[in-house]
Amino acid sequence: MAAVAAHYEELQALDVHALSVSTDSHFTHKIWQEEELSKMIDGGVPFPMLSDAGGRIGTVYGVYDEDAGVDIRGRFLIDPDGVIQAMEVMTPPVGRNISELIRQVKAFQHNRATGEVLPAGWQPGQPTLKPGPDLVGKVWQVWKPGKNGG
Amino acid sequence: MTDPLSSCARPPTVGPILSPEQAAAGDDGSAAPQEVPRMIARVGKPAPDFETTAYHQGTFKTIRLSDYAGKWVLLCFYPGDFTFV
């Protein structure tokens, strides 16, 4: 959460609107922001912090842990058509990797703009694949697994 | 008049707002139709819409996911305020 806030400018530059969600009330979000987050991050968390009291939103997203009564860690990248393009769900002890998220945003946006597909580990500027009859059986000519971090 | 989002009684949150197809997709036959279904989020499928209360830059507001139609959205769930990771 704080890590997403710390990379907020990068997300904004990609025109991605962040929303955080937990089962805490909006009152709790306010105090967390004032007492702690604003001291971790200049200006505090800049995006809306949503309350999922009761876990009903988390339930339909598959992240609500009924035993603990909380939403576990899950992030969902939703495109301008409202379609989920990527999701990642993790148990609570381990935080997410924002740089991988940023890479995925760039890759999905590139695909949306060009129709090109992006091989494993693709980073902006690296070769892309243009699906079609000519590419069948020829991927080896433009891309090898293990190169470019893939 | 007191802002309902600031009153002692928490405002009722709407929660998920599902299309009939989404509601049916999550229905495993055990839940009554009006109950919240099980997980229906899938890659390549519409994100389940919802409405709830939020804190944002000093104010309380009501937010719907569909308010963000036409934009890229990163929806991040996390276990709770004042946790450590």
Side-chain angles (χ1 to χ4, degrees), chain A residues 15-17 78-83, chain B residues 65 67-74:
Chain A
D15 206 21
V16 175
H17 298 254
I78 301 168
D79 76 12
D81 295 324
V83 172
Chain B
L65 180 63
D67 294 341
Y68 292 85
K71 297 167 177 167
W72 286 90
V73 172
L74 173 64

Side-chain angles (χ1 to χ4, degrees), chain A residues 24-55:
Chain A
D24 300 284
S25 73
H26 51 299
F27 295 164
T28 309
H29 291 331
K30 177 177 190 286
I31 302 305
W32 191 30
Q33 169 87 305
E34 291 175 356
E35 292 299 316
E36 187 164 59
L37 293 173
S38 59
K39 294 160 190 169
M40 285 179 180
I41 306 148
D42 282 343
V45 166
F47 45 77
M49 301 169 73
L50 279 51
S51 171
D52 181 28

Side-chain angles (χ1 to χ4, degrees), chain B residues 31-58:
Chain B
Q34 68 272 27
E35 286 182 25
V36 173
R38 290 156 191 268
M39 178 177 183
I40 57 176
R42 299 276 186 276
V43 290
K45 300 290 183 192
D49 196 14
F50 57 80
E51 179 177 307
T52 191
T53 50
Y55 169 77
H56 187 212
Q57 292 178 334

Side-chain angles (χ1 to χ4, degrees), chain A residues 1 15-22 24-30 32-33 36 46-51 53 56-63 70-80 82-85 87 92-96 101 108-109 112, chain B residues 4-8 10-16 18 36-58 60-61 63-65 68-85:
Chain A
M1 248 287 290
D15 206 21
V16 175
H17 298 254
L19 301 172
S20 68
V21 192
S22 78
D24 300 284
S25 73
H26 51 299
F27 295 164
T28 309
H29 291 331
K30 177 177 190 286
W32 191 30
Q33 169 87 305
E36 187 164 59
F47 45 77
M49 301 169 73
L50 279 51
S51 171
R56 290 182 299 158
I57 300 170
T59 298
V60 297
Y61 279 84
V63 296
V70 300
D71 289 327
I72 58 172
R73 236 171 267 292
R75 67 165 161 77
F76 297 81
L77 180 63
I78 301 168
D79 76 12
V83 172
I84 299 174
Q85 291 296 343
M87 59 170 83
V94 177
R96 287 174 280 240
L101 167 69
F108 280 111
Q109 290 184 344
R112 189 177 170 87
Chain B
L5 298 184
S6 300
S7 69
C8 290
R10 282 204 204 159
T13 55
V14 174
L18 305 179
V36 173
R38 290 156 191 268
M39 178 177 183
I40 57 176
R42 299 276 186 276
V43 290
K45 300 290 183 192
D49 196 14
F50 57 80
E51 179 177 307
T52 191
T53 50
Y55 169 77
H56 187 212
Q57 292 178 334
F60 298 132
K61 56 175 73 167
I63 283 184
R64 244 190 206 232
L65 180 63
Y68 292 85
K71 297 167 177 167
W72 286 90
V73 172
L74 173 64
L75 184 65
C76 280
F77 293 87
Y78 64 99
D81 296 349
F82 301 102
T83 53
F84 307 108
V85 188

